[in-house]
Structure formats: structure tokens, C-alpha cells
């Protein structure tokens, strides 16, 4: 293991501890309130929302594959890959900030367009990241991994711990994956986004909130994606054993 790889492993361990720590009292209360609110929504409405998000994400996956630069430079080692990642991340974060400010300036109706637009930016970013770290996005299992990374970034604390186990042990867990639990996927994502994006619907003020929220959301996704693919790089090359960074370590 190189000195840089050891540094990365230390950062991954710190990130893991943040993921698996017990949720805060505020976090528990927020999740309980959101769960209670969701029980008041008719099941038929949940089914419609689930189906809509499912089709939206699948369409974005196809579109992202088409637009991903599959011939972009790939580093010869983890350090070079991380440098390419950082360049790509900054460009996508800038795009997300501009999009958030633009959709936030027009109030409720225009803010509604932020959901599919930001979702598209996030998924396209993950496709680009996968390619940077040498993974082939045309393969079904890689698209599933992308969705698990997405869930890892935007889920409740409890779901994060479950998803981390899949990401950390992907070579074994991928054999069990046939599709995504779309109901849980959309529920976790909506609950996470509700807190971050609520004030974006206020005309004028929403532009500032939209830009700030999107900056932070991409920051969260970027950190998650970077460590998830660093972890795969280290495990796939036999540099570390997944058990060394598992929840029970």
C-alpha cells in the first residue's frame, strides 16, 4: 500500500464512522415527523410518486449513459483518478448551483422543475465518476452500484448503514441485486430533499436557497461517490479486505 493509499484509507475510515454513528435526537425527530406525514398520504398517491420517480431515474440512467464521455482520461493510479474526480466534481457542482439559482428565482412552479433537473445532474455526475475510476457504465451491475451510491448519499441514517454494507461488500452483494426497491428509494430521497429544498419555493429568496442547497447536495454526493469508488479501487485490487472497513470492524 502506498503512502497516498494509506491516507485515503484513513479518510474512508473517518467517513465510515460518520455514516454508522447513531442518529442525533433532531434527526430521529425529523424522520419520525416525515414518516408520520407520509402515513397521511393515500397509498395510491405513494404508488403514483414511486412509479414516476422510477421512470424518471431509469430515463436519466439511459440519458446519462448516452452523454457520458467513455473515452475521458483515466488515471494510472488512485492519486491520478482522485485528481480527475476533483476536476469533474467542481464542474458539476457549478452546474448544480446555477440550476438551483435559476429554478429558485421563480417561486413554486419553477421550483418544481428543480427536482428532475437536479436529479439528472446527480446521476450524470455519478456516471462520469464511475468512468474515471475505470468502471464500465454499460454493465447493468455498474448502474445498480450507481443507484446504491446515490442512496448512500441521500437516505436516513438507518438506511445509510444498510446501504453502506452493500457498497462496501459489492462484489458479494451484487449477486443478490436484481432491481432497486423503488418505493424505499423514492421515500428516502423525498424525505432527504424536503428538508433541504423547502425554502427554495419562496420567490426571490428561493434563488439564494436553491443555489446554496444544490451546492451542499452536490458536496454530499461528491464526498460519498469519491469514497465509495476509492473503496472499490482498493478492494478490487486486493489492497484491502472489505472487512477492514466494515461496520463491525
Amino acid at each position: 500500500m502506498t503512502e497516498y493509499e494509506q491516507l485515503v484509507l484513513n479518510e474512508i475510515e473517518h467517513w465510515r464512522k460518520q455514516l454508522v454513528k447513531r442518529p442525533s435526537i433532531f434527526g430521529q425527530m425529523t424522520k419520525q415527523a416525515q414518516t408520520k406525514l407520509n402515513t397521511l398520504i393515500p397509498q395510491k398517491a405513494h404508488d403514483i410518486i414511486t412509479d414516476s420517480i422510477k421512470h424518471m431515474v431509469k430515463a436519466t440512467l439511459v440519458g446519462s449513459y448516452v452523454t457520458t464521455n467513455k473515452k475521458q482520461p483515466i488515471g494510472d493510479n488512485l492519486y491520478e483518478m482522485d485528481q480527475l474526480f476533483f476536476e469533474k466534481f467542481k464542474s458539476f457542482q457549478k452546474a448544480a448551483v446555477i440550476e438551483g439559482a435559476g429554478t429558485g428565482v421563480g417561486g413554486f412552479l419553477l421550483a418544481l422543475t428543480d427536482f428532475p433537473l437536479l436529479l439528472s445532474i446527480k446521476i450524470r455526475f455519478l456516471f462520469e465518476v464511475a468512468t474515471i475510476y475505470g468502471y464500465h457504465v454499460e454493465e447493468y451491475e455498474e448502474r445498480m452500484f450507481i443507484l446504491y451510491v446515490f442512496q448512500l448519499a441521500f437516505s436516513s441514517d438507518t438506511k445509510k448503514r444498510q446501504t453502506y454494507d452493500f457498497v462496501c461488500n459489492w462484489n458479494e452483494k451484487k449477486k443478490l441485486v436484481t432491481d432497486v426497491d423503488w418505493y424505499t428509494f423514492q421515500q428516502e430521497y423525498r424525505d432527504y430533499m424536503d428538508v433541504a429544498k423547502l425554502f427554495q419555493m419562496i420567490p426571490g429568496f428561493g434563488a439564494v436557497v436553491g443555489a446554496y442547497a444544490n451546492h451542499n447536495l452536490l458536496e454530499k454526493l461528491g464526498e460519498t461517490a469519491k469514497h465509495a469508488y476509492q473503496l472499490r479501487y482498493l478492494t478490487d485490487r486486493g489492497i484491502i479486505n472489505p472487512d477492514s472497513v466494515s461496520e463491525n470492524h
Side-chain angles (χ1 to χ4, degrees):
M1 182 182 297
T2 66
E3 184 177 346
Y4 181 75
E5 289 167 350
Q6 181 61 58
L7 176 64
V8 167
L9 185 58
N10 293 340
E11 292 177 350
I12 291 174
E13 174 62 13
H14 176 75
W15 169 68
R16 182 197 67 81
K17 288 180 179 179
Q18 294 300 309
L19 284 177
V20 303
K21 69 179 181 181
R22 292 180 61 85
S24 65
I25 299 298
F26 176 76
Q28 293 180 52
M29 292 175 61
T30 299
K31 183 60 178 176
Q32 290 172 359
Q34 289 172 325
T35 300
K36 179 63 176 178
L37 180 62
N38 287 329
T39 63
L40 302 177
I41 301 174
Q43 185 58 44
K44 185 175 181 179
H46 280 300
D47 293 340
I48 292 173
I49 294 170
T50 297
D51 196 53
S52 298
I53 292 181
K54 175 181 177 180
H55 289 298
M56 188 187 303
V57 172
K58 286 190 171 183
T60 303
L61 287 174
V62 173
S64 297
Y65 171 69
V66 172
T67 58
T68 297
N69 179 10
K70 303 169 189 66
K71 295 183 179 180
Q72 65 181 320
I74 298 176
D76 293 327
N77 52 58
L78 186 56
Y79 174 78
E80 292 181 3
M81 290 176 179
D82 284 350
Q83 296 307 303
L84 291 170
F85 164 86
F86 181 74
E87 294 174 9
K88 187 68 64 176
F89 165 71
K90 298 307 291 184
S91 66
F92 271 87
Q93 187 177 51
K94 181 178 180 180
V97 168
I98 293 172
E99 183 274 323
T103 55
V105 75
F108 178 77
L109 292 179
L110 191 55
L112 291 178
T113 66
D114 175 71
F115 188 89
L117 290 174
L118 182 59
L119 179 63
S120 176
I121 290 173
K122 291 172 180 174
I123 298 294
R124 279 170 37 222
F125 168 66
L126 291 177
F127 266 72
E128 296 283 352
V129 172
T131 303
I132 284 173
Y133 285 92
Y135 294 97
H136 304 292
V137 293
E138 66 272 14
E139 296 177 4
Y140 179 79
E141 66 182 47
E142 291 306 325
R143 300 188 193 199
M144 287 298 100
F145 185 77
I146 282 172
L147 292 181
Y148 272 91
V149 172
F150 187 95
Q151 281 191 298
L152 185 57
F154 305 117
S155 294
S156 63
D157 292 331
T158 300
K159 186 62 178 177
K160 273 185 172 68
R161 290 192 290 273
Q162 298 171 355
T163 308
Y164 174 80
D165 183 53
F166 264 79
V167 169
C168 183
N169 299 281
W170 182 248
N171 288 333
E172 289 297 322
K173 297 292 187 180
K174 67 183 179 183
K175 302 170 186 176
L176 308 175
V177 177
T178 56
D179 201 357
V180 173
D181 179 351
W182 290 105
Y183 180 83
T184 302
F185 182 95
Q186 64 87 14
Q187 198 69 69
E188 292 286 338
Y189 184 51
R190 282 172 53 206
D191 287 353
Y192 192 99
M193 295 296 288
D194 284 347
V195 176
K197 306 289 281 182
L198 180 62
F199 293 104
Q200 187 174 344
M201 296 183 180
I202 303 175
F205 180 66
V208 177
V209 175
Y212 178 76
N214 283 12
H215 178 277
N216 288 347
L217 289 168
L218 259 292
E219 193 78 36
K220 181 69 173 179
L221 183 61
E223 178 188 39
T224 304
K226 181 180 71 172
H227 291 318
Y229 279 100
Q230 287 174 333
L231 189 54
R232 281 194 72 185
Y233 175 95
L234 294 172
T235 55
D236 287 351
R237 287 160 178 76
I239 297 173
I240 63 170
N241 187 305
D243 291 339
S244 65
V245 286
S246 68
E247 185 173 343
N248 296 320
H249 177 62

